Amino acid sequence: MCGRFTITRRDGNSIAAELGVPADSFVDYRPRYNLAPMQKHFIVRIKYENREVIPATWGLVKSGAKDASMAAKCINARSETVEARPAFRDAFQKRRCVVPADGFFEWSGPKTARQPAWFHREDSRLVLFAGLYEAWQKEPSVWETTFTIITTAANAVVGQYHDRMPVILADRDADDWMDPRAADPLALKRLLVPAPADLLIATPVSPKINNVHNDSPELLEPAGQTLR
């Protein structure tokens, strides 16, 4: 699964450049070191053949929902069943996105002493999670965009901590995934596979990450040997 992630770049302009979106896409950007479900982030979608960044809340709420009571249960969607489950079926057909990040967390050890590990690229480049999005009417005349992150079987590195991981798309595949005019969305399931084992490293980090209210750079200071 994916229950927390990061995007730690200090400069929103560098994110815009890497994503291929306008520089003013990140006017209100701030780094996040412990982003949790039900919190605000942003997604990238295709609109009129161009990439567009829009704000969104983590936890998918279907467009016709009367409330967000199911959002916490829809932070992840399993790649194996995403096209069939009622919660995700419509979004899979029409509203596919990517969720920019630069790492995510998994935990090991007993419940009383959970040790988090930060999975990230050694070159510090972004990772693009495959996602789905929806917009629902939160209150009269107020619409909120929400998203979920698609997961798949873990690769060899993540598998030392958990049996699932977020789907990470290569940049060349991201546009295919996001294309709302794709003639056969089911064919895109070929992209929903584990990342190459050499893409990520795992760095043990501060247990203070276990508290969702903590969100500062020192959370990512190494607390053990990095796994490759």
Side-chain angles (χ1 to χ4, degrees):
M1 65 174 294
C2 177
R4 306 275 184 84
F5 65 89
T6 63
I7 186 156
T8 63
R9 295 278 184 87
R10 294 188 177 184
D11 179 13
N13 289 336
S14 70
I15 299 176
E18 191 167 338
L19 291 175
V21 298
D24 61 3
S25 299
F26 295 97
V27 173
D28 298 322
Y29 168 77
R30 69 180 179 92
R32 298 298 309 275
Y33 303 93
N34 190 17
L35 207 150
M38 317 309 295
Q39 294 182 353
K40 295 185 182 301
H41 185 49
F42 54 87
I43 60 170
V44 181
R45 67 179 181 180
I46 295 290
K47 185 175 183 180
Y48 305 129
E49 300 182 355
N50 295 311
R51 291 184 176 188
E52 178 187 45
V53 175
I54 59 173
T57 300
W58 188 10
L60 195 76
V61 180
K62 291 194 69 175
S63 60
K66 295 181 179 180
D67 57 48
S69 58
M70 295 299 293
K73 296 181 179 180
C74 294
I75 63 169
N76 291 158
R78 293 177 68 92
S79 61
E80 296 87 346
T81 58
V82 65
E83 80 283 5
R85 285 197 57 192
F88 309 120
R89 185 169 54 209
D90 290 346
F92 175 77
Q93 290 292 325
K94 306 171 185 176
R95 290 175 290 278
R96 297 175 301 276
C97 65
V98 297
V99 183
D102 61 10
F104 63 94
F105 299 104
E106 288 298 348
W107 284 259
S108 63
K111 291 183 178 180
T112 55
R114 300 289 280 164
Q115 172 60 54
W118 182 41
F119 292 87
H120 59 103
R121 291 179 57 152
E122 197 163 14
D123 61 9
S124 300
R125 289 181 61 82
L126 296 177
V127 293
L128 303 178
F129 299 148
L132 307 173
Y133 72 98
E134 292 267 19
W136 73 292
Q137 195 165 13
K138 190 174 183 178
E139 52 188 85
S141 301
V142 177
W143 289 81
E144 179 181 48
T145 300
T146 63
F147 69 91
T148 189
I149 294 170
I150 298 177
T151 66
T152 188
N155 64 17
V157 174
V158 180
Q160 298 175 69
Y161 283 77
H162 200 279
D163 62 356
R164 306 289 295 179
M165 69 178 295
V167 172
I168 298 174
L169 297 172
D171 189 75
R172 63 181 178 274
D173 294 327
D175 288 334
D176 288 343
W177 171 253
M178 292 187 288
D179 184 359
R181 301 177 303 175
D184 182 11
L186 273 177
L188 297 172
K189 288 195 69 175
R190 73 184 189 280
L191 303 175
L192 306 182
V193 296
D198 61 355
L199 181 69
L200 304 173
I201 59 175
T203 304
V205 289
S206 173
K208 291 181 180 179
I209 282 167
N210 299 343
N211 185 333
V212 297
H213 299 294
N214 294 330
D215 188 13
S216 56
E218 59 267 22
L219 296 180
L220 300 184
E221 293 178 359
Q225 183 177 2
T226 293
L227 300 178
R228 291 176 168 83

